[in-house]
Each structure stands twice: as structure tokens, then as C-alpha cells.
Amino acid sequence: FTFFTYLGLASGAPIVQADKWDPRQVLRLMTREACVWTTMVPTMMYMLLEARQADPELPLPTSMRGVSMGGAFMGPDLIRRARDELGLEVLRVYAMAECMMACQMRRSDPESDRDELDGRPGPGADVAVFDDQREQLPPGTVGELGLRGPSLFEGYLGDPDGKPTRMTREGFFLSGDMGRLTPGGFVK
């Protein structure tokens, strides 16, 4: 809802949606409607690849400019397969329901970075890494990722203390995810 509905309404772009998730139907629909962008989790990409392997006659979605993908681990092999076998450019995303679209790779980033890194903050968003005492760590150091930005949620329904217990004094929401920042500001 957040990605598709908001972006469609905000930009006036048409929204194309399959009746249900069926990788064969999705490949046909992407091609027929000349879709240019989508978002998915890695499992969905694996399913698209498997469908095309099982039926090489399925069309390739040549109009697609990018696929934002996050929500689970994705190795560089999956991203390379999407590019090589489907012609899809995967733009890795690091975000969570509590702070949507915090970081994303861009098509202008080098291909090797797009394969390995999980994005950098978008407009108004910020990411930092913290130790167990909630002290901010320098780039290159592994710790807990914290997010802040315009899409940071207001709180958990029925749990008024849930958000405050996860906040740093700098206003970052601690994600529970371990990661690091590169010197260039990318999340890994």
C-alpha cells in the first residue's frame, strides 16, 4: 500500500496490479502493460526466475527500468541472475515498516555497488550505526542500524512505550538489524 498507492497517487502514474501473485501472470502483465518499476521481496524474484526457466517462452519485461527489492537477505548472485536472465535491474532497499524507504540504491550507482550494498539514505532520511550503549559508531564499524526521517512512524498501536524504548537521544529508531556504513554512506 505504501509504495504503490502513494507513488501512483502522488505522481499520477497508473498502477498495475496482478489479481494474485503468480510469477507467470506477473511477467506477462509487466510486458503487456509496459511497466517501468516495481518492488518485491527476494522470494518473488526467485519465483520469477524459476517461472522463466520452466517456460522460456514467457516474455521478458523489457520496459522495466528498476525493481526495488528488500525485506530479506539477497545475495549478489540473485541480483546478477535477475539482470542476466530477466533483464531486470535490482535496486537494493534497506527500510522497515517503522521507517519506510529509508535507503535505496540508485541506477546511477556502480553496478558492483548495486550488487553488494543496501542503499543510502533518501531525501530527509538518515541512517547511523550504534553500539550496545546507543553511542554512534564511525563508518565501517558493525553495530545496530538506526533510522530517522520523514516516514518514521508515530508509534505502535496499543504499545505507547514501544517506540520510545527503541529511540536514541539523536532521534534514531533502532532497527534491531546489524550492519555498517561504508565511507561513502551506503548501508551494508
Side-chain angles (χ1 to χ4, degrees):
F1 178 82
T2 303
F3 295 114
F4 293 113
T5 304
Y6 173 77
L7 289 174
L9 292 173
S11 69
I15 300 168
V16 177
Q17 185 176 1
D19 295 330
K20 66 177 186 164
W21 174 254
D22 175 331
R24 292 174 171 345
Q25 179 189 7
V26 168
L27 283 170
R28 289 184 191 108
L29 192 59
M30 291 163 88
T31 303
R32 186 183 77 226
E33 299 296 327
C35 294
V36 297
W37 175 80
T38 191
T39 186
M40 64 181 67
V41 297
T43 302
M44 297 165 94
M45 183 61 74
Y46 280 114
M47 293 173 77
L48 290 177
L49 288 162
E50 289 172 0
R52 187 75 175 29
Q53 276 186 333
D55 183 358
E57 298 301 313
L58 284 170
L60 292 173
T62 56
S63 60
M64 292 293 291
R65 290 186 227 148
V67 176
S68 296
M69 191 161 64
F73 173 78
M74 67 196 97
D77 57 319
L78 173 62
I79 295 168
R80 288 186 202 108
R81 282 189 64 205
R83 184 182 302 121
D84 295 344
E85 297 175 32
L86 298 174
L88 296 174
E89 191 56 52
V90 172
L91 303 172
R92 293 167 69 122
V93 173
Y94 177 72
M96 57 192 313
E98 290 88 345
C99 194
M100 300 299 287
M101 291 306 293
C103 298
Q104 180 166 336
M105 295 304 293
R106 296 168 178 90
R107 285 198 56 121
S108 58
D109 294 325
E111 189 174 286
S112 59
D113 287 348
R114 291 193 315 258
D115 291 352
E116 298 282 342
L117 302 174
D118 296 305
R120 61 186 156 187
D126 200 8
V127 177
V129 179
F130 296 88
D131 65 17
D132 291 341
Q133 288 73 43
R134 297 187 180 191
E135 295 297 323
Q136 200 164 336
L137 298 169
T141 308
V142 174
E144 185 173 0
L145 295 170
L147 309 167
R148 68 179 176 190
S151 65
L152 185 62
F153 76 136
E154 290 292 318
Y156 294 108
L157 183 63
D159 185 5
D161 296 327
K163 180 182 175 187
T165 61
R166 303 291 309 150
M167 299 297 294
T168 69
R169 64 180 175 273
E170 300 90 355
F172 286 90
F173 179 80
L174 295 174
S175 66
D177 296 329
M178 300 301 286
R180 64 177 169 83
L181 296 177
T182 68
F186 290 92
V187 171
K188 179 63 179 161

